[in-house]
Structures are given as C-alpha cells and as structure tokens.
Amino acid sequence: MRSVKSSMIGRKVGAVCHAIVVVIFVQALGLKTARTQELPPPRIDEEITKQEKIYRSQGADVPTGYVTGRGLSDYADLLPTGFCDALGKLGSADRWLDIGAGAAQAMLDYYAPKDDAAANKKCAGTGKARAVAMSIEDRRTDQWRQQAASLGGDRMRYLSGKRLRDYLSEELGKFQIITDVFGGFSYTEHLSLFVDKVLSLLEVGGSLYTLVPGVHLENAKDKLGILYLTELESAAGRPEKVCSWLKKASCVQVTCESKIDWKRPTEVIKIQKVCSDTSVPSMKLLEFVSGYPPSRRFQLEK
Ligand SMILES: C[S@@+](CC[C@H](N)C(=O)[O-])C[C@H]1O[C@@H](n2cnc3c(N)ncnc32)[C@H](O)[C@@H]1O
C-alpha cells in the first residue's frame, strides 16, 4: 500500500516538474522570439565597413586586440606540430606565403633571427626560402624595408592593398608552405573561396598551417558561456564543425588539434594538398559582425 502511495506521489511530483519545464521552455522560446524581433542581425555591409576601419587603423587608433606583430616564436607556439621543422627544411628554391602577415615580424625573424630562442633557430633553419608576406593594409616597418633591401631581389616580398581573393593565382605562383595566423582564415567573409584559393596556390605535397579561434571543436565537448566566433551549419541548418567541413574537401589531408584550454576554443589546423584537383564544399555568409577577429556564420550551399 505504502509503495503504491509513494509511487503516486512520485508520479504527481514528476507531472508538476514536467509542467514547470514546459512553462520555462515556452517562456524561453517566447523571450527568444521577442529578442530576435527586437534585435535584427546587424547589416553585413555596415559591419564590413566597420571592419575596413579596423584594417586601416594606424598608430594610437589600432585597437589593442588587433595584434599585427607576432614573431616567429609566436607562430611556432600557435601553429600545428611540425610547422617549425617543415619551415626549417625549406631550401632557397622553395617559397613561403604568410597570408595576413600584419607587420611580417615572423618573416623578419626567419631571415634575421635576433634571439637564440630555440623555436626561432629551429624554424629559421639554414637554407632560406623566398618569402611573401600578404596583408590588406600596409604595415611594413623600417626594419622590413632595410632587411628586404639588404637581401635584394625578391627574397622577401610584401604585398598589400588587396585581399587574397583579388590576386590571380598566376600572379602569386606556387608555395610549399602557406601560413595564416589570425589572418584571412579568421577574418574573411568568403570562407570556402578563401580555402579554395589557398589550395590552388599550394604545390602538391605542400601545406597550409593555420588556426581558427572560437569554434566548436572536433575532439571536445562545447563549454557553457563561450562566445563562438566562426559558426558553420549544413544546408539543412544543422551545426557543422570547421574540421568536418574541411575534411569534405577533395585532394587534401586535414589534421586538427583541438585546443580546449586556450582563451577561446581553437582548432589548430594543417591542410596538406595531396593531389592537384582540389575542391572545397561551398559556404555562404549568413552573418558577419566586425571585430578582431570578427564573428561570422556560414551555411553549406548543398
Ligand atoms: C590581426 S592581423 C594578424 C597579423 C599577423 N599574422 C600576426 O599574427 O601578428 C590580421 C592580418 O590579416 C590580414 N587579412 C585579413 N583578411 C585578409 C584576406 N582576406 N587576405 C589577405 N590578408 C587578410 C590583415 O590585413 C592583417 O594583416
């Protein structure tokens, strides 16, 4: 008798809890709808104009979080395992492209390692590849100009005034190593076009070394309270992870190292081109909010 009574009480408590959950859920939905109605997503063109201002900022106007002077040892710390060894092994006929180079300090360190930091020495190697730094805005320093002039020829080039997508592949030529540290990969509004272009510039066997901050990680659960910066979804609107998307590209081998303990969850990514006929599943931009880096939402086209 007692157990029948207690099971009835249990069921009643269960029903009340269920009702509370339903009410909270309905209220949350209502709130979400109301908020969505109050706050339409920011207009993409206005945000892109704001983003331009960040690129063009100079001197005291450069936002503190827009870091443009990372050196080679920072690149070694941030990029995938194996980056330093690969860069150090390049010879004088090989080529390295750094997309989103900022002040190109990493390249200066490569050509003239100032300190004895083990990472710098290892990355700099003995032979020296021809190096091309690319940035939308010109952030060359006097040190860069002097170093490039003393090397002569086209050992160190700095390209600015355009985005990666605005260059013809023939203009740039092919590279054994492409790096991107908080550059185009984190900033572009044309994600699949960007990766497509990078792949077209790699020699077969060559690799892109990069990272994407603020993403849903391939090998870790989402944490509460994270502000995600780059969010992807399938054509049907289901969440898609950046690494699972990249692994759908053809003629590439993708390796992702999920950094769950970094300031933002970050995928550290190596993409090796393994044959020439590369293609990347196309993504369209749904949302863009300026920043350093901006926050973006993309959807697979099919
Ligand atoms: C935050 S800075 C990073 C600079 C450098 N990699 C560092 O870590 O110090 C961003 C750089 O990416 C460049 N950038 C952003 N989008 C780009 C694109 N689509 N093509 C080429 N450069 C781009 C900017 O012009 C700038 O040089």
Side-chain angles (χ1 to χ4, degrees):
M1 184 63 187
R2 182 173 252 187
S3 71
V4 172
K5 202 173 170 188
S6 62
S7 96
M8 276 174 63
I9 292 169
R11 252 183 269 139
K12 272 191 189 162
V13 171
V16 171
C17 287
H18 184 249
I20 292 171
V21 169
V22 169
V23 169
I24 292 172
F25 180 69
V26 169
Q27 279 181 346
L29 263 184
L31 271 180
K32 195 173 175 202
T33 319
R35 253 191 242 126
T36 323
Q37 280 163 2
E38 279 163 28
L39 294 174
R43 285 187 45 174
I44 290 180
D45 50 354
E46 284 168 10
E47 290 299 315
I48 287 174
T49 307
K50 286 191 206 161
Q51 191 66 45
E52 281 298 326
K53 281 197 187 136
I54 297 173
Y55 295 139
R56 274 188 270 113
S57 61
Q58 291 293 338
D61 291 336
V62 179
T64 327
Y66 188 65
V67 180
T68 60
R70 290 185 187 88
L72 193 54
S73 53
D74 300 312
Y75 275 40
D77 288 344
L78 292 165
L79 291 174
T81 319
F83 159 70
C84 254
D85 281 344
L87 187 65
K89 281 186 190 134
L90 293 187
S92 61
D94 295 325
R95 301 181 76 224
W96 167 30
L97 171 66
D98 187 25
I99 304 172
Q105 186 59 47
M107 257 172 211
L108 279 172
D109 294 346
Y110 174 70
Y111 261 102
K114 287 188 301 305
D115 57 52
D116 274 353
N120 265 0
K121 272 195 158 171
K122 196 168 120 197
C123 292
T126 44
K128 289 284 180 262
R130 280 178 291 155
V132 180
M134 181 187 290
S135 173
I136 296 172
E137 73 280 19
D138 188 349
R139 294 203 182 270
R140 271 175 295 180
T141 55
D142 290 344
Q143 199 195 346
W144 170 277
R145 288 195 183 83
Q146 283 159 17
Q147 184 72 46
S150 78
L151 288 168
D154 64 351
R155 301 306 302 173
M156 275 170 71
R157 285 173 69 200
Y158 191 99
L159 304 176
S160 62
K162 296 198 278 191
R163 284 157 170 71
L164 175 73
R165 65 174 181 273
D166 301 321
Y167 293 90
L168 295 173
S169 298
E170 305 80 67
E171 258 179 281
L172 296 171
K174 294 263 198 238
F175 298 87
Q176 278 70 30
I177 289 186
I178 299 181
T179 46
D180 182 305
V181 174
F182 298 107
F185 205 147
S186 303
Y187 279 78
T188 184
E189 313 95 65
H190 303 273
L191 196 61
S192 47
L193 190 65
F194 180 87
V195 178
D196 213 32
K197 186 77 175 218
V198 169
L199 294 178
S200 77
L201 296 172
L202 279 174
E203 294 279 11
V204 172
S207 298
L208 166 71
Y209 295 88
T210 190
L211 70 156
V212 202
V215 290
H216 299 281
L217 298 175
E218 190 182 42
N219 293 318
K221 284 202 176 128
D222 287 350
K223 279 188 183 170
L224 284 176
I226 298 287
L227 174 67
Y228 290 97
L229 291 174
T230 298
E231 295 200 88
L232 310 182
E233 61 186 51
S234 69
R238 278 190 287 277
E240 173 91 30
K241 294 184 175 171
V242 69
C243 284
S244 54
W245 165 63
L246 288 171
K247 284 176 181 175
K248 289 177 186 151
S250 50
C251 274
V252 294
Q253 195 178 334
V254 179
T255 320
C256 292
E257 298 170 34
S258 299
K259 306 290 183 187
I260 191 164
D261 296 327
W262 287 15
K263 189 175 146 212
R264 293 193 174 104
T266 299
E267 285 294 3
V268 169
I269 303 171
K270 175 183 174 189
I271 307 179
Q272 184 174 34
K273 178 167 166 177
V274 295
C275 46
S276 53
D277 206 7
T278 54
S279 72
V280 182
S282 184
M283 286 273 178
K284 68 174 180 220
L285 181 68
L286 297 181
E287 280 173 32
F288 184 91
V289 180
S290 61
Y292 25 90
S295 51
R296 310 166 296 174
R297 199 155 66 80
F298 297 94
Q299 185 175 42
L300 266 170
E301 302 236 63
K302 56 178 162 32

